[in-house]
Amino acid sequence: MSRAVLVEAPGRWRIDAGDPPEPGRGEARVRVAAAGLCGSDRELFDGARPEGFASYPVVPGHEWSGTVDAVGPDTDPSLVGAPVVGEGFRGCMACGRCREGAPNLCASRYDETGFTRPGAFADHLLVPARLLHVLPPGADLRAAALLEPAAVIAGAVRHAAPRPGETVAVVGAGTLGMLALQFLAASSPARLVAIDPRVERGEPALDAGATAFSRPGEAPEGAFDVVVETAGAPGTAASAVRLARRGGRVVVTGIPADPADAVPTSLLVTRALSLHTVFGSGPADWAYAVRAFGSGVLRPASLITHELPLTEFAAALKLSGSPDAGKVLLRPDLDTSPTGGRTDGPLL
């Protein structure tokens, strides 16, 4: 028996149960250990994804970890039993962007696990074996479920290229912000300031590696060599630009809900800032994140606050949007009943 959370259409979901899927040529089947929820999963459920960035019905779940339990033809049999995470973007592998190592920017199509392909809110997940990253033996699979957002931040940090002794600010102290602080602390900054309106995020930010915590408007403008924006709230990209010194570097990862949100072009030009943005993550970003996780630089377990069974999808999705929650995980092993709990209908 294999169960999956199936979002049939915006606002409608149920638990679908059947035989475990069989891996095809070049595929691996993963027994899911844990899968994280984020804002894009709430967008998927609400029907708020941009056109072309979701297909219904679909099994959500793009942040995941697990163990390979079967492989298809022409797939390395030594993968069976391996603890793994995996990339979500299914690029065409023929266009220029894919061939230069950026399938997340595929010029032919958008195709991603959990949005257009069945995802990991399930007992089992099929994925092309080429997308897998094998973890060290004994890896904490709960924590490894956060390696997808960590790979996004790895891309941001690679663009920012922090150097020892620089001053760095992170705008936003949610999951992405905390992961950014862990990465950036490893570069030995002279100052690493976390900026967030929620005062209760201060202590976790310091634990993640920040040397100081500020609320918006408290940190001096034009004072930072590097600014990484992770909040995706109205005005946070503009704030990030204002915080950067002349000749500084800014990386924006969030997408604000307000389409009128504006970055001050005059400051970009007069301060000669380097501005980068990040959409998803490519293979090199994943490799960077997996190495950081294996070496202990990245410590995502501390960000997990709630773990629920698949059958509590509605409660988990609602909880993931709570300001008091950190990372919320669905764990199939917490409930092995075929249809326990609420299995269809709107969020509670």
Side-chain angles (χ1 to χ4, degrees), residues 164-198:
E166 290 192 309
T167 55
V168 183
V170 174
V171 179
T175 297
L176 289 178
M178 295 298 182
L179 292 169
L181 290 169
Q182 291 183 13
F183 271 122
L184 292 163
S187 69
S188 300
R191 230 176 1 133
L192 177 56
V193 180
I195 300 170
D196 196 284
R198 300 164 293 181

Side-chain angles (χ1 to χ4, degrees), residues 47-56 110 116:
R49 295 279 290 173
E51 185 177 355
F53 284 79
S55 297
Y56 300 93
Y110 167 77
T116 60

Side-chain angles (χ1 to χ4, degrees), residues 34-37 142 145-146 304 306-309 316 327-331:
L37 292 94
R142 292 170 55 259
L146 277 74
I304 300 168
H306 300 82
E307 301 172 63
L308 290 85
K327 178 56 65 175
V328 178
L329 298 181
L330 285 179
R331 284 183 46 195

